[in-house]
Amino acid sequence: MKPDVVIARFGELTLKGRNRARFERRVLHQLKALLEHVPGIRFTPEFGRIYIELNGEPTESVAAALDKVFGLYSYSPAYTAELDFDAIRSKAAEIVAGLPRRPETFKVSVRRANRSFPYDSQQMNYLVGGYVLEHVPGLTVDVRKPDTELHIELRETRALLYTDIVEGAGGYPYGSNGKAVLLLSGGIDSPVAGWMAMRRGLELEAVHFHSFPYTSERAKQKVVDLARVLAQYSGDIKLHMVPFTELQTKVHQAYNDNLLVTILRRAMLRIAEKVAEREGAQALVTGESLGQVASQTLPGLNASRRAVQLPILQPLIMTDKRDIIRLAEDIGTFGISSLPYEDCCTLFVPPSPSTNPNMRVVEAIERNMPWLPDLIDKAVQETETLRITAGRKDEHAHLF
């Protein structure tokens, strides 16, 4: 017996105030994009939820997409029955008898949204539960901690029955809280920071700095693959590949002491800010975690932040590395991030990078590099932009 419909529910936060309709439209748009490969389904929005009519399509395809949709707090594969007492209790017994693992205890919970139905919720709990007990051997009722809880919703035109409530991705609908640019490296942290930003409703574009020939094509492909994982949560994502070799090399030739990482980091942020302004983004997102490396001390973060005007969002700033790794494993980026292909962040690192950069010294060093602004502009102009689509590996079409 296959489910007939999937009930997708919004979270309480997305239902408050005048934003509710906008949030729900965004979720519906994303669901349609992620499920365009499942032609038979039909969407029916209702207050606080979306019904996905399966029309014979497999539940697994829909569930895989729902797990990637921010703004949904739970979903349930459900069976339908006519709004008739005998049909409902017959379907209830069929569902419980057909469970993959037969429970020892169960409970029936009825919600009567249709007030014209002749029995109220308490009566239906008793009558349907009694029928299931008679027709499914080996069961007992436990209203406190049952092995299985059978939910029945009496709607306007039909009854919906289900036993599973699957936790959704939560957060806010993708793109509902503005647009930002993610500084995406090949490491573990930045993809997780990007995922967390998307979960809070930010539309993301990504910027990656590569230093060919010091970094390989495999390192570049690694970042494309990370962007493709993030695209599973958005449908697609722009990836801006910034050529950083000339700037990085010239800075290294002019200055090779303990503030080198700070100088290069500030240049990266300036480039990312220019890309963000060009793309209409209102913030930068980075993967720093306080104290994790020399450049992520509080003085180091402060020195980097002062290079730009746009706000810098740091979702991982107070997160332990082991927790970041767990999240990376959960969202599917850890294996890719662990591949041994280096990016530009690992090049030309001084033996003892400063953990307490002095801003006056940093700015004095930059004043001795009058060519730096021109190289920043050149890097932006020569940036290659790809549109990365979830599930595709042949879409490297240049947009600019």
Side-chain angles (χ1 to χ4, degrees), residues 141-160:
V141 173
D142 184 345
V143 297
R144 295 182 181 273
K145 293 184 178 180
D147 296 334
T148 294
E149 184 170 358
L150 175 63
H151 300 267
I152 302 175
E153 295 187 12
L154 306 176
R155 312 301 296 184
E156 291 304 314
T157 60
R158 61 182 176 176
L160 299 171

Side-chain angles (χ1 to χ4, degrees), residues 10 18 82 105 119 125 166 260 277 304 321 347 349 376:
F10 296 100
R18 291 173 292 181
E82 294 179 18
T105 60
Y119 300 104
N125 288 341
V166 183
L260 177 62
E277 290 172 343
S304 297
K321 189 68 174 185
L347 300 176
V349 177
I376 287 172

Side-chain angles (χ1 to χ4, degrees), residues 32-303:
K32 288 180 176 179
L34 293 176
L35 289 169
E36 62 181 357
H37 64 288
V38 188
I41 61 175
R42 181 168 56 87
F43 300 92
T44 306
E46 190 178 281
F47 183 88
R49 55 175 57 185
I50 296 174
Y51 296 110
I52 306 171
E53 310 290 343
L54 295 174
N55 296 319
E57 297 286 359
T59 312
E60 293 77 14
S61 298
V62 174
L66 288 171
D67 289 335
K68 302 292 191 297
V69 178
F70 297 124
L72 291 180
Y73 273 64
S74 68
Y75 63 88
S76 298
Y79 304 87
T80 61
E82 294 179 18
L83 206 60
D84 170 80
F85 174 67
D86 289 331
I88 292 169
R89 65 180 187 171
S90 176
K91 179 68 74 173
E94 185 181 3
I95 291 169
V96 175
L99 289 171
R101 183 177 178 181
R102 181 70 63 85
E104 295 182 2
T105 60
F106 84 108
K107 171 185 177 181
V108 175
S109 296
V110 177
R111 179 186 174 197
R112 188 177 66 151
N114 185 343
R115 296 298 177 182
S116 66
F117 195 79
Y119 300 104
D120 65 25
S121 298
Q122 291 299 322
Q123 291 173 319
M124 285 293 288
N125 288 341
Y126 176 77
L127 293 170
V128 174
Y131 186 88
V132 172
L133 278 174
E134 291 177 8
H135 290 79
V136 183
L139 282 179
T140 59
V141 173
D142 184 345
V143 297
R144 295 182 181 273
K145 293 184 178 180
D147 296 334
T148 294
E149 184 170 358
L150 175 63
H151 300 267
I152 302 175
E153 295 187 12
L154 306 176
R155 312 301 296 184
E156 291 304 314
T157 60
R158 61 182 176 176
L160 299 171
L161 301 89
Y162 55 91
T163 58
D164 296 326
I165 300 177
V166 183
E167 185 176 348
Y172 288 94
Y174 179 73
S176 61
N177 281 330
K179 182 177 179 180
V181 164
L182 168 69
L183 277 71
L184 180 64
S185 74
I188 295 170
D189 299 342
S190 60
V192 176
W195 180 87
M196 293 181 72
M198 296 166 81
R199 190 170 185 264
R200 300 310 296 169
L202 282 178
E203 176 186 351
L204 281 192
E205 296 187 14
V207 167
H208 176 69
F209 298 86
H210 65 91
S211 295
F212 185 82
Y214 298 107
T215 55
S216 67
E217 283 296 318
R218 290 182 296 182
K220 184 177 178 181
Q221 184 60 44
K222 176 181 176 181
V223 173
V224 170
D225 292 340
L226 288 171
R228 186 174 289 112
V229 173
L230 294 180
Q232 294 176 4
Y233 296 87
S234 61
D236 57 28
I237 191 169
K238 278 186 181 180
L239 175 59
H240 305 280
M241 306 294 286
V242 179
F244 203 55
T245 309
E246 184 178 359
L247 188 152
Q248 190 172 16
T249 302
K250 191 157 185 179
V251 169
H252 180 257
Q253 290 170 348
Y255 177 84
N256 186 23
D257 208 338
N258 64 345
L259 290 172
L260 177 62
V261 173
T262 301
I263 301 299
L264 291 174
R265 184 67 176 169
R266 284 165 60 88
M268 287 180 174
L269 289 170
R270 288 179 176 124
I271 291 169
E273 181 178 55
K274 288 180 178 292
V275 173
E277 290 172 343
R278 185 186 71 189
E279 298 296 316
Q282 296 176 306
L284 304 178
V285 177
T286 64
E288 285 103 348
S289 175
L290 186 62
Q292 186 165 265
V293 295
S295 63
Q296 295 176 19
T297 61
L298 195 57
L301 293 170
N302 182 49

